[in-house]
Each structure stands twice: as structure tokens, then as C-alpha cells.
Amino acid sequence: MKKVQFIWILTFILLIISFTWAEIPRIMNYQGKLTDLDGVAVEGTCAIGFKIYDESAEGSPLWGETLSVNVYKGLFDVQLGNTHPILLDFSVPYWMEISVSTDGGTTWDILEPREKLATLSYAFRSIYCDTASFLKFMPPIALILPNPVVLCAGEQIALNGHPHGGSGTYSVHLWTGDTSPLSATNLPNPTFLAETEGLYNLIYSVTDDRGASGSDGITITVNDSPVVSFEPSNQTVNEGESVSFGVISSGGSLSYQWQENSGEGWLNISLGGSEPAYSGVTTDSLTLSNVPWNYNGYDYRCKLSNPCDSSVSSSANLTVISSWEGVCEETAIMDIISDSTGYIWMDRNLGAARQALDYNDHLAYGALFQWGRLSDDHECIVWSDSASGTPVNGAIVPTSSGDDPGHSDFILGDSLHLDWRNPPNDDLWQGVLGINNPCPPGYRLPTQTELENELESWDTDDREGAYSSPLKLVVAGYRLGNSGNLSGVGTAGLLWSSTTSGGESYRLSFNEENAYLALSYRTYGFCVRCIKD
């Protein structure tokens, strides 16, 4: 039950001049205001009970009546006595007790204390006189309905000033303010029709035939369909940094919802996250923080809505510059999907200028890495044609005692040293976060098993099968671990895996006659094809 309190505003309005007993109606006009205990005006239909006592507390009621009353902004106006005439002579003091129910009569609040009836009510006593002189009237009340109002441009609504109280006879109705959309300004119930969005402020005033007046105000919000005047623009951001997209629009009270397309359709963005973290997803400005590299190429747009319509901005593309420095020449990061395995691979070898156009396309050969080494330019080759190339850096004999040799030379091995590192480290190149992983963020070296699965899907186990596979593998040859010279260029292809065994590492080999996996010394230089984690 919502507790209410009663504020006495206007009470017992009567007009009695020279009436005889038979002519006097035994009714009272009664006006009041209802609020809750926080001072918030009650709205809607309430049951209100009225009782008259000849005592300020306790006692039995001398008259009573319960009415269903429409309460607007806390205000109500009723006539008492229509159902049960007030047959009291008002020769003694009386008190009014009021009770209120806001739940259909299930529970009631009795408003205390009882209110002593004012002198005006005792005009009923004039039935014992030949005449009754001047009695003061309260002014009329204006209550604009509906209020407030939100419309779409071109939508019409009927307003009603809802005058009541006062003498009951009204001589003047007047609307002032932004009146151009009104059908009339001298009626209590004109229609409103605006073709232009904006806020329209109106005041309705009513004057009764005694010259007393009351007024009420209303603000009407008119919305147009959302219109984007400034579209989001393409943005470029460094990996791990922040970027924003924005729109400028019109259309009244707008709501915003940013959407993202990763290539699989538009989806609403939710607030939060970490890589990236989204903010402003329901405002006119979207911000992505800590942007990861794999969001490169994503598209963004904003859906705008108001009560009238919705529209969508144009899309803007995001370019993310990776912190990965590439291999030798910058390697474009483009994905392919192997239909048979479902693995996602880079479409070219590390260091390659393009995806292969043939099995011996030298622009797709790329770099030749020693197993487990950083991309420190030891791997770089300048390819002249499909059968020849020149290493960028020379070869030296001393092995490295650490994971980073600190130079760009190719490190040779001998019968005692089958690894460029002494002692060997089997933990190199293990996963996305593995030590010395040369692949872009989110990529790694494939395992022996992943390469075997791809090999099993080839049409033929040779270089033709390697090239016709989704990976379009090429015969870049290899760099010898004991001399640093190139060998097999244009005839054989070899790819490192991350899998180790007995101080050696597995590689995939293919040539004109066959294709297989085998172990190799880590001083050799082979191609690297990265797989997405």
C-alpha cells in the first residue's frame, strides 16, 4: 500500500444567494491534492472516502460517501452529496475525515487529523434566513491532458486544457507560447500538428465568469527521423593503443548503438571487455582501448533510433598496425583456411612478397630460418629468380650460448655442434608466447601433427600436391647448416615445425617425387609458414 498524505487546497465551494430551503442542493464542491510521504503527487484512479463527524476524534459518522476519483498531478475535484445528500443543519461544529485507497479498496489510509469544516460550509445554515450574502469563490483550475507529449514530425494530437472548478462557467480560453502548430488558441481542446522537430512550450489559461483564472503549462517534444550529418571515418591505430569512431546526428531524443563486423555480419557491441575494451557503445562516440592486432580490417557503424524511426550510419574501417616488425621485407598478414583440416594459416611464407602464383614463384619463397632463432636478419635472402638467390648475411662458426646470438650472421654447425645454440634449448618456438617466436601476434609455428594432417589432405605427395593445396607451398630450397650455401632452390621445399626430438626438430619436405616429415639439424635454414593459434 502506497502511503499518501493530503494537502488541503480548496474546500467547500458554494454559491447560495436568496435560496429557499427547497431550492438549496444538499451538495458540496470539494477540491484537494494527494501526495505520497515523499511529496510526489499521486496519479491515476483512487477510491476516496468522506465522512462527517460532530467530534474531532472517535464518535460515529453523521454522513458518509465513497467515490472513485481520477487524480491528475495529485489534484482532484469532486461533488459530495450526490449519492447521499448531506442532511445536516450545520448548527454545530463538524469535522471531515478522509480515507484513501490506491489499490482498488483492498487497503485504506485514514488521513489524520480530521479537518474542521470552515465557515463557508455553514452556508447551508442560510436555509433559515431569507437571503445569504456574498460568499467567496476559489479560482478555476487548468490541467492540460495529455502531458507531457512526445510526437513525430507530422503527427497530430488533440490537447485538452481540462478546465474545472471556479464558478463552473468559463468565459475565456487562451493558449499562449509556441502556438503556430495549434488549430485554435481560444478553445480548451485544440489540435497540435508540427512539421518541424523541436521543443514547443505552451500555456493554457482559463477565466470564469467572475474574472478568476487558472493556468497550466506543457512542453511538447517533436522528433524527426534520425539524420547523420557527420559519418564515422576510417581509423588507424597502433596495436595496444586506443581509437575512437564518432557520428554527428540530429533527430530529437536519440539513442545510439554501435555495431561491429569482423567479416561475419554486423553485431551489437557490449560495454566492457579487455582486448579491446569498449566504451561509449550507446553514445555518439565509440572508443576501443588496448586494440589487438587481429582486429585489423574490422568495420564499425552506428545505429541511431528515436521514437519515430531509426537509421544506420555508413561503416568505417579499422587498420591496426602490428607491433610485429615483419621478416626481412614486410610480410603482409593474410589468412587462408584449409578446408580439410580447418586450420587457419598465413597465405605465404614469412618474408615472402606475395602468395605463390606457381610452385617455383621466387617472390613467394620468403626467408630461410635456423630453427628456434629470432627474426634478426640471419634468415634474409635476396631472390634473383626461381633457381637462385643470395643470402643477405654471411656465415660464422662460433655457436651462441644464449637464445639471442646478438648478431645477424648465419651460425654454422659441425660434427660436434648440430645446433646454432650450445647448449640446445628445446623450449624455443613453442607456441604464440614461445621464446623467439618469429610469427605475427596470434600466430605460431605449426606442430609436427598439424603438418602431417595437411600432408594427408594433398592430392599427391610431391611438390605439385604441395602447391595445389590451400597453402600453395613453394620450392624455395634450403640453406646448408655446415656451409651456409643455398641448395635445392627451385626443386625442393622444406618447412620447419615446432616439434623437437633428441636435439633435432621436425620439418616437412617435398620435391618432384615425394613429400614427407623427418628430423633435421637446427643449423639448417628452412622456410616458416605460420598457423593461427
Side-chain angles (χ1 to χ4, degrees), residues 168-291:
T169 301
Y170 310 112
S171 58
V172 178
H173 303 276
L174 179 63
W175 293 82
T176 57
D178 303 319
T179 59
S180 57
L182 293 178
S183 61
T185 59
N186 60 348
L187 299 175
N189 54 349
T191 57
F192 179 95
L193 174 62
E195 300 289 348
T196 306
E197 68 170 321
L199 297 178
Y200 295 80
N201 295 300
L202 295 168
I203 295 176
Y204 166 68
S205 301
V206 58
T207 303
D208 65 14
D209 57 2
R210 296 172 293 100
S213 62
S215 63
D216 192 18
I218 183 174
T219 296
I220 301 177
T221 302
V222 178
N223 293 317
D224 205 347
S225 296
V227 176
V228 179
S229 55
F230 181 83
E231 303 281 2
S233 57
N234 297 339
Q235 299 293 327
T236 299
V237 64
N238 291 322
E239 178 185 2
E241 296 183 356
S242 299
V243 66
S244 295
F245 297 91
V247 293
I248 297 177
S249 54
S250 60
S253 301
L254 291 173
S255 61
Y256 302 85
Q257 176 60 63
W258 283 92
Q259 299 178 325
E260 179 180 78
N261 186 357
S262 64
E264 299 182 356
W266 291 101
L267 296 174
N268 290 343
I269 301 172
S270 299
L271 187 68
S274 58
E275 289 187 356
Y278 298 101
S279 60
V281 298
T282 55
T283 71
D284 59 1
S285 180
L286 169 70
T287 298
L288 288 73
S289 303
N290 193 27
V291 180

Side-chain angles (χ1 to χ4, degrees), residues 177-416:
D178 303 319
T179 59
S180 57
L182 293 178
S183 61
T185 59
N186 60 348
L187 299 175
N189 54 349
T191 57
F192 179 95
L193 174 62
E195 300 289 348
T196 306
E197 68 170 321
L199 297 178
Y200 295 80
N201 295 300
L202 295 168
I203 295 176
Y204 166 68
S205 301
V206 58
T207 303
D208 65 14
D209 57 2
R210 296 172 293 100
S213 62
S215 63
D216 192 18
I218 183 174
T219 296
I220 301 177
T221 302
V222 178
N223 293 317
D224 205 347
S225 296
V227 176
V228 179
S229 55
F230 181 83
E231 303 281 2
S233 57
N234 297 339
Q235 299 293 327
T236 299
V237 64
N238 291 322
E239 178 185 2
E241 296 183 356
S242 299
V243 66
S244 295
F245 297 91
V247 293
I248 297 177
S249 54
S250 60
S253 301
L254 291 173
S255 61
Y256 302 85
Q257 176 60 63
W258 283 92
Q259 299 178 325
E260 179 180 78
N261 186 357
S262 64
E264 299 182 356
W266 291 101
L267 296 174
N268 290 343
I269 301 172
S270 299
L271 187 68
S274 58
E275 289 187 356
Y278 298 101
S279 60
V281 298
T282 55
T283 71
D284 59 1
S285 180
L286 169 70
T287 298
L288 288 73
S289 303
N290 193 27
V291 180
W293 173 85
N294 60 353
Y295 273 59
N296 181 58
Y298 279 28
D299 292 317
Y300 296 87
R301 71 181 186 183
C302 187
K303 183 177 181 180
L304 303 93
S305 304
N306 66 13
C308 301
D309 203 355
S310 63
S311 62
V312 179
S313 73
S314 62
S315 63
N317 185 257
L318 177 62
T319 299
V320 183
I321 300 175
S322 174
S323 59
W324 182 62
E325 296 180 354
V327 173
C328 303
E329 296 182 0
E330 185 72 26
T331 303
I333 305 172
M334 304 292 290
D335 289 342
I336 56 170
I337 299 177
S338 176
D339 294 334
S340 59
T341 64
Y343 300 150
I344 301 174
W345 299 84
M346 286 180 61
D347 74 342
R348 66 200 68 191
N349 293 341
L350 287 185
R354 67 187 182 194
Q355 185 184 41
L357 302 180
D358 204 345
Y359 75 90
N360 62 351
D361 179 2
H362 69 284
L363 295 180
Y365 284 173
L368 301 177
F369 281 83
Q370 294 186 290
W371 189 93
R373 281 192 68 172
L374 289 164
S375 175
D376 54 12
D377 290 348
H378 80 279
E379 72 276 13
C380 297
I381 310 292
V382 177
W383 299 105
S384 304
D385 52 45
S386 62
S388 62
T390 304
V392 171
N393 293 296
I396 61 174
V397 174
T399 57
S400 172
S401 61
D403 297 333
D404 181 0
H407 59 76
S408 301
D409 292 316
F410 196 82
I411 299 176
L412 302 178
D414 53 31
S415 59
L416 296 177

Side-chain angles (χ1 to χ4, degrees), residues 51-55 59-64 85 87-88 92-94:
K51 294 179 181 179
I52 296 178
Y53 293 79
D54 58 2
E55 298 181 43
S60 299
L62 304 178
W63 172 89
L87 302 177
L88 301 175
V92 296
Y94 293 112

